[in-house]
């Protein structure tokens, strides 16, 4: 019966989130439902005890990077910098490569630290305009955005909060597993571009692609007052450069020794400081394009709350499940699967992310529930923490965009499309290709990269 409670709570969590009910409501209810099938604790204790403890701990550890990330993303959007990058890439590649332009623009923005949700809002108007002008099938837009966003989301060095989640547990950096991760990411991007080009050709004839269109809407976009391309790219480059500098600084033994008496160096410090400094420079550099910078900062701060609470409450749900006696048996079953340990780590990460419909939420739960066991596996089988960091994130990414995923539901809602219209391509670029990229990651790890 205890096992049934866990399984039933997971199934209902997936169904209810898929139907659009907030995870903030669903997670506590499903945690209490799981507890109702066992005698491990009073039902109400599940909500006010381990769920809130795990939720609060996640917010304590990661809120700074969520906060500055959301502000940075909003400033990139409101200044027009994100739009400039998308338009410049689409103009450079030309009309026939509209899908490729959207993929590359999404990749650059997400890799540079702009939230995937902000990228959707920034890129979608340009994508719709370009697709309409060139008579491209509109239902491919969500897949084109995710084909760039998802590889960037888990790439080594990406200024995204998912990249910071394993850091406190593994004592790694956002660059961990760099070479193998970069090769896997490049592979993912390349096959996504070829696939999306193929989908465009399948949907339209060559004559339609070349057919002239008198629409002036794209010209209107270019006539809007926007910053130049170098001014727009500069903040992204700054985040990357600053992060390299501060990662090196906080890795210095004397710096580590100094902060030891204050609780030690925190893994999110380099990226948090890098984005914070970039925000200050952006406000100065792009001041002529930011009409209400203080309002943008305030709105960005407010926008950071829902994403971190959504992720944290999923981790909180995992915190409750972790306390149940029945989960110990599930844990043993998962950890005793007779497969290579690198694969085991990725499989467990994928399963958890798929259950909660979120790569970041899945990563948070995995580190909360399996962190100690993964460290033990790493020691016994001589797996470096750096490689494990990248494996966990790639694994979680591979099933983080199933149909009930909050990201997928939100993206389709913003694009005013349905799962029936667009999910096939979304599945290919964000689930199937992610799985293939994870295999490439394994391959390069096996040869010693």
């Amino acid at each position: 019966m205890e096992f049934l409670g866990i399984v039933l709570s997971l199934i209902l969590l997936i169904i209810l989130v898929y139907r659009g009910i907030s995870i903030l409501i669903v997670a506590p209810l499903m945690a209490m439902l799981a507890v109702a099938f066992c005698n491990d604790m009073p039902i109400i204790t599940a909500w006010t005890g381990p769920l809130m403890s795990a939720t609060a701990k996640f917010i304590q550890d990661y809120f700074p990077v969520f906060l500055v990330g959301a502000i940075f993303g909003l400033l990139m959007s409101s200044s027009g910098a994100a739009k400039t990058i998308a338009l410049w890439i689409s103009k450079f590649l030309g009309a026939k490569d509209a899908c490729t332009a959207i993929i590359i623009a999404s990749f650059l923005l997400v890799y540079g630290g702009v939230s995937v949700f902000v990228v959707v809002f920034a890129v979608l108007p340009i994508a719709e305009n370009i697709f309409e002008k060139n008579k491209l099938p509109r239902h491919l837009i969500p897949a084109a955005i995710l084909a760039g966003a998802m590889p960037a989301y888990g790439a080594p060095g990406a200024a995204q909060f998912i990249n910071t989640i394993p850091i406190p547990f593994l004592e790694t950096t956002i660059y961990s597993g760099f070479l193998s991760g970069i090769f896997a990411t490049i592979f993912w991007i390349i096959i996504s571009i070829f696939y999306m080009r193929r989908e465009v050709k399948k949907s339209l004839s060559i004559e339609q692609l070349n057919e002239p269109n008198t629409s002036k809407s794209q010209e209107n976009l270019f006539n809007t007052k926007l910053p130049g391309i170098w001014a727009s790219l500069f903040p992204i480059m700054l985040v990357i450069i600053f992060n390299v500098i501060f990662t090196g600084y906080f890795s210095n033994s004397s710096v580590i020794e100094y902060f030891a008496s204050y609780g030690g160096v925190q893994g999110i410090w380099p990226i948090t400081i890098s984005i914070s400094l970039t925000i200050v420079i952006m406000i100065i550099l792009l001041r002529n394009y930011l009409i209400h910078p203080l309002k943008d900062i305030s709105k960005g701060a407010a926008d950071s709350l829902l994403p971190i609470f959504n992720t944290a409450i999923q981790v909180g749900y995992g915190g409750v499940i972790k306390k149940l006696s029945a989960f110990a048996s599930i844990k043993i079953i998962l950890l005793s699967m007779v497969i290579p340990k690198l694969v085991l780590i990725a499989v467990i990460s994928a399963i958890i992310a798929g259950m909660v419909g979120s790569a970041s939420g899945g990563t948070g739960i995995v580190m909360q529930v399996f962190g100690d066991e993964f460290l033990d596996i790493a020691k016994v089988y001589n797996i470096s923490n750096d490689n494990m960091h990248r494996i966990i994130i790639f694994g979680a990414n591979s099933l983080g965009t199933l149909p009930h995923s909050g990201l997928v539901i939100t993206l389709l809602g913003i694009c005013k499309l349905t799962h029936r219209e667009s999910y096939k391509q979304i599945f290919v670029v964000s689930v199937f290709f992610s799985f293939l990229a994870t295999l490439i990651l394994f391959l390069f790890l096996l040869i010693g990269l």
Side-chain angles (χ1 to χ4, degrees):
M1 288 294 288
E2 294 177 354
F3 178 77
L4 176 63
I6 294 175
V7 173
L8 182 61
S9 73
L10 283 170
I11 292 172
L12 287 175
L13 183 143
I14 292 170
I15 293 172
L16 293 174
V17 170
Y18 179 75
R19 293 181 67 86
I21 302 176
S22 171
I23 190 68
L24 296 174
I25 298 170
V26 173
L29 290 175
M30 293 306 102
M32 290 189 286
L33 175 64
V35 169
F37 281 78
C38 65
N39 297 316
D40 292 309
M41 67 183 81
I43 294 175
I44 188 63
T45 304
W47 188 0
T48 59
L51 184 138
M52 290 309 302
S53 296
T55 300
K57 181 66 168 62
F58 185 90
I59 294 171
Q60 176 187 342
D61 289 342
Y62 298 106
F63 179 64
V65 74
F66 272 79
L67 176 66
V68 297
I71 293 172
F72 174 76
L74 192 66
L75 290 176
M76 284 290 291
S77 177
S78 60
S79 67
K83 183 181 287 187
T84 294
I85 293 169
L87 285 171
W88 185 85
I89 293 171
S90 66
K91 184 179 181 181
F92 178 79
L93 291 177
K96 291 183 181 180
D97 270 330
C99 253
T100 304
I102 300 305
I103 292 170
I104 294 174
S106 299
F107 180 89
L108 285 175
L109 291 169
V110 172
Y111 190 84
V114 182
S115 161
V116 178
F117 291 99
V118 173
V119 168
V120 172
F121 284 107
V123 173
L124 180 60
I126 296 108
E128 288 182 329
N129 190 276
I130 295 170
F131 273 55
E132 179 184 355
K133 179 179 177 61
N134 297 287
K135 295 188 175 180
L136 302 180
R138 189 178 178 279
H139 71 274
L140 296 180
I141 292 176
I145 293 173
L146 289 186
M150 295 314 295
Y153 191 54
Q160 292 293 333
F161 65 86
I162 189 175
N163 230 346
T164 68
I165 293 174
I167 291 175
F169 298 88
L170 305 179
E171 298 181 351
T172 48
T173 72
I174 67 171
Y175 299 100
S176 293
F178 188 80
L179 278 179
S180 54
I182 286 295
F183 281 121
T185 300
I186 292 171
F187 169 81
W188 190 351
I189 282 285
I190 290 173
I191 58 173
S192 294
I193 289 172
F194 278 105
Y195 170 75
M196 292 305 297
R197 283 178 175 175
R198 176 175 167 271
E199 287 300 296
V200 167
K201 288 179 180 178
K202 278 174 59 179
S203 300
L204 294 173
S205 67
I206 298 299
E207 288 76 19
Q208 286 177 304
L209 283 171
N210 292 328
E211 194 173 274
N213 190 305
T214 57
S215 171
K216 302 293 182 183
S217 53
Q218 189 176 12
E219 293 172 17
N220 292 334
L221 278 173
F222 278 105
N223 289 334
T224 305
K225 183 182 178 183
L226 295 172
I229 183 59
W230 292 114
S232 300
L233 286 171
F234 189 60
I236 293 176
M237 293 187 288
L238 270 184
V239 170
I240 296 170
I241 293 168
F242 278 146
N243 194 62
V244 171
I245 294 170
F246 285 111
T247 297
Y249 174 75
F250 286 113
S251 299
N252 187 285
S253 58
S254 60
V255 174
I256 293 172
E257 183 180 349
Y258 172 78
F259 283 104
S261 58
Y262 300 98
V265 171
Q266 302 298 306
I268 66 168
W269 285 358
I271 189 63
T272 303
I273 296 171
S274 300
I275 296 176
S276 300
L277 289 175
T278 302
I279 287 170
V280 175
I281 295 170
M282 280 180 72
I283 292 172
I284 298 170
L285 177 68
L286 301 176
R287 61 188 181 278
N288 293 331
Y289 305 95
L290 292 167
I291 301 172
H292 302 293
L294 294 181
K295 286 184 179 179
D296 289 336
I297 291 171
S298 297
K299 186 176 186 306
D303 288 348
S304 72
L305 297 179
L306 187 59
I308 192 168
F309 270 92
N310 280 344
T311 305
I313 204 74
Q314 291 172 330
V315 174
Y317 169 82
V320 174
I321 300 301
K322 177 183 179 180
K323 297 285 186 182
L324 303 183
S325 55
F327 187 72
S329 301
I330 297 174
K331 207 169 175 182
I332 291 170
I333 293 170
L334 289 173
L335 291 170
S336 61
M337 287 190 288
V338 187
I339 54 177
K341 296 307 175 183
L342 285 173
V343 178
L344 175 67
I345 293 168
V347 167
I348 291 175
S349 303
I351 290 172
I352 301 299
M355 285 176 173
V356 299
S358 166
S360 57
T363 302
I365 292 174
V366 164
M367 300 315 303
Q368 172 82 19
V369 177
F370 291 94
D372 292 337
E373 286 76 14
F374 282 0
L375 284 172
D376 291 339
I377 290 172
K379 289 176 183 175
V380 172
Y381 293 92
N382 197 28
I383 301 171
S384 75
N385 286 7
D386 288 329
N387 289 338
M388 186 158 58
H389 178 124
R390 196 56 47 203
I391 290 164
I392 290 168
I393 291 178
F394 265 72
N397 256 347
S398 64
L399 290 182
T401 50
L402 293 179
H404 64 285
S405 162
L407 172 60
V408 171
I409 292 169
T410 302
L411 174 61
L412 291 176
I414 295 169
C415 294
K416 297 179 181 177
L417 293 164
T418 65
H419 282 75
R420 183 185 296 274
E421 291 172 308
S422 298
Y423 188 72
K424 173 193 167 186
Q425 289 80 17
I426 290 175
F427 177 85
V428 173
V429 300
S430 65
V431 178
F432 181 61
F433 287 170
S434 176
F435 168 74
L436 295 181
T438 305
L439 293 181
I440 296 295
L441 180 68
F442 290 145
L443 176 63
F444 281 105
L445 290 178
L446 286 174
I447 63 177
L449 286 180

